[in-house]
Amino acid sequence: MEAIYRSDSRRVLATLIRLLGDFDLAEEALHDAFIAAVQQWPRDGVPANPRAWLVSAGRFRAIDNLRRRSRFDASRRLLLAELEEAASPFEEGEDVEDDRLRLIFTCCHPALPADAQVPLTLREVCDLTTEEIARAFLSSPPTIAQRIVRAKAKIRDAKIPYQVPTLAELPERLDNVLRVIYLVFNEGYSASSGEALVRTDLCAEAIRLARLLLELLPDPEVMGLLALMLLHDSRRAARTRADGELVLLDEQDRSLWDRTQIAEGLALVSRAFASQRIGLYPLQAAIAAVHARAEDAASTDWRQIAGLYAVLQQLAPSPVLRLNRAVAIAMCDGPEAGLAEVDALLEAGELKDYHLAHATRADFCRRLGRREEARAAYRAALALVRQEPERRFIEKRLAELDG
């Protein structure tokens, strides 16, 4: 039951939202469906298609609940009438594979406030908590929760359609959808908190959604995003040791990298660049491609990587991009050059709450032999980190300095 919840609950929810037309009603129906499964499956056995069973059970329970409540609530009577008139029974063979893509486009509808679209999608499509989303946006959980509640109400009251837009509408809706998919992947690739470094379910789901989107719209940005995710995900097996400890990129066993994913990713980068419309995702994928092509860490073309980050920074200025470029500069010109860049970022206050900025500064100071500064920076990173493998890695670095 736990495995089915992890793998299918958000897909079931997406289909229930489509069938019921209401986020809150669908979430309640999802919980009711799993309660019914806990009661019935041990007795009757797991159905051949658990997802279809859960959708059907959730939908019927939602309608039953509406019938009971409709005696006291006129708005519920109206919703019940609409559901009973419009909704046919859910068929077990019905295709629901793109329901989550429909849900993403609904959550990213231009009628919704821009600052609510991505948090709503991360909450409803990916089951991230408001705390996880707040950390990703450097915001507070109550602020994020308010945005999500208001966005749900807007979708309901404005009757925003639950559908993938037409081909003519797709380009203007694309940026936020790509951003959401990439944020899903990032949470999977480097979980914001918890015991595990990687959440493979989120990585796989982001890649699956990008493939669906590429079928709809063979745009260079979609190609770039899919390539970027494939190239990063190709390193998954080498990123941790058997005991779960973090392995840095330059120490990874590259024989463990997934060559099939790398080949697909490199081909997509080439296709994106051939279009001569080079945006953010193809450029980021090109950086990942430089790493993928290097036989070992020593042969990595860091000068090219620094140049690509400079172009990215011109297109979309970002303190995190500047931090990444600082790492590339340090690899080209030495840690002192990288340290100057990081210090400028921290002095500006842009990344003072970002643990990787402090960890990067600590590493540069360590390499320069400035042990006290390195200790202080590692302690600052330790106070901010939420992920256990990263925490243990920083503690190990501190212990090495103290030793």
Side-chain angles (χ1 to χ4, degrees):
M1 186 66 71
E2 271 187 46
I4 289 171
Y5 186 88
R6 282 195 304 271
S7 64
D8 284 356
S9 64
R10 303 326 283 181
R11 294 189 192 185
V12 172
L13 177 64
T15 301
L16 286 170
I17 293 171
R18 171 169 63 84
L19 293 172
L20 301 173
D22 184 283
F23 280 82
D24 295 332
L25 188 61
E27 286 170 3
E28 185 179 353
L30 174 72
H31 295 145
D32 287 345
F34 272 95
I35 290 170
V38 167
Q39 294 169 344
Q40 295 181 37
W41 291 2
R43 182 187 67 233
D44 302 335
V46 177
N49 188 336
R51 192 190 312 163
W53 190 99
L54 288 162
V55 169
S56 185
R59 178 180 172 277
F60 284 124
R61 277 160 181 74
I63 291 174
D64 285 344
N65 288 336
L66 279 174
R67 286 190 182 119
R68 285 195 296 272
R69 295 172 193 170
S70 65
R71 290 177 293 176
F72 312 103
D73 186 337
S75 65
R76 293 290 179 179
R77 284 199 293 275
L78 183 60
L79 178 57
L80 176 63
E82 289 177 357
L83 284 177
E84 289 182 324
E85 180 181 346
S88 58
F90 179 77
E91 298 296 334
E92 235 182 63
E94 188 172 331
D95 180 18
V96 299
E97 282 305 309
D98 61 350
D99 273 339
R100 293 183 88 178
L101 196 59
R102 289 191 189 103
L103 182 53
I104 287 177
F105 275 105
T106 303
C107 294
C108 293
H109 196 279
L112 297 177
D115 63 358
Q117 293 176 16
V118 176
L120 175 64
T121 312
L122 295 176
R123 179 73 196 96
E124 298 303 320
V125 178
C126 307
D127 201 23
L128 300 193
T129 66
T130 50
E131 289 77 12
E132 288 170 332
I133 299 165
R135 279 197 292 273
F137 284 87
L138 302 179
S139 185
S140 69
T143 299
I144 294 297
Q146 283 181 349
R147 290 176 189 171
I148 291 171
V149 168
R150 288 171 185 159
K152 285 182 185 178
K154 176 76 172 180
I155 290 170
R156 182 189 64 239
D157 297 342
K159 297 188 182 300
I160 289 173
Y162 183 86
Q163 62 189 28
V164 173
T166 65
L167 282 176
E169 297 170 320
L170 265 177
E172 66 177 352
R173 305 273 298 277
L174 189 61
D175 285 351
N176 260 6
V177 171
L178 292 176
R179 186 181 176 209
V180 165
I181 293 173
Y182 192 33
L183 283 171
V184 173
F185 180 81
N186 278 340
E187 181 60 29
Y189 186 75
S190 185
S192 58
S193 61
E195 290 294 330
L197 177 70
V198 178
R199 291 178 61 177
T200 55
D201 57 328
L202 291 183
C203 291
E205 181 60 19
I207 289 170
R208 190 186 74 83
L209 289 170
R211 290 191 194 282
L212 281 174
L213 195 55
L214 186 60
E215 289 178 16
L216 284 170
L217 189 68
D219 183 272
E221 286 297 294
V222 185
M223 294 174 199
L225 176 58
L226 180 55
L228 176 61
M229 295 190 297
L230 287 167
L231 291 169
H232 279 313
D233 195 53
S234 70
R235 308 175 199 152
R236 188 194 327 141
R239 293 180 63 224
T240 54
R241 303 189 200 284
D243 58 3
E245 294 304 302
L246 176 67
V247 182
L248 296 183
L249 179 61
D250 61 354
E251 297 172 357
Q252 288 176 14
D253 178 356
R254 298 188 178 210
S255 68
L256 298 175
W257 289 6
D258 188 321
R259 295 295 154 187
T260 302
Q261 284 186 307
I262 288 173
E264 184 182 359
L266 293 177
L268 284 164
V269 171
S270 296
R271 282 177 62 194
F273 272 74
S275 73
Q276 298 185 342
R277 290 192 295 117
I278 312 304
L280 298 179
Y281 294 111
L283 282 167
Q284 291 178 78
I287 292 169
V290 174
H291 288 295
R293 290 191 182 103
E295 292 184 7
D296 51 43
S299 59
T300 303
D301 188 346
W302 286 103
R303 189 73 63 189
Q304 184 182 3
I305 290 172
L308 287 165
Y309 273 124
V311 177
L312 271 170
Q313 187 65 23
Q314 288 178 340
L315 281 178
S318 154
V320 174
L321 284 177
R322 281 186 64 191
L323 178 66
N324 292 340
R325 183 168 179 266
V327 173
I329 288 171
M331 297 302 292
C332 297
D333 302 326
E336 195 155 358
L339 183 60
E341 294 282 331
V342 175
D343 281 346
L345 278 169
L346 290 172
E347 284 167 19
E350 293 176 293
L351 294 179
K352 63 183 177 63
D353 296 325
Y354 187 46
H355 72 282
L356 290 179
H358 296 282
T360 302
R361 185 180 198 280
D363 183 59
F364 293 161
C365 290
R366 179 183 65 86
R367 288 157 61 185
L368 288 165
R370 293 157 61 168
R371 296 168 69 88
E372 285 306 315
E373 287 183 73
R375 285 191 190 93
Y378 276 131
R379 290 190 188 106
L382 204 54
L384 295 167
V385 72
R386 295 289 178 269
Q387 187 196 89
E388 287 306 312
E390 287 185 327
R391 176 185 298 281
R392 291 194 298 269
F393 180 84
I394 294 169
E395 287 172 343
K396 180 183 173 185
R397 282 285 199 239
L398 263 174
E400 289 170 355
L401 285 171
D402 292 337

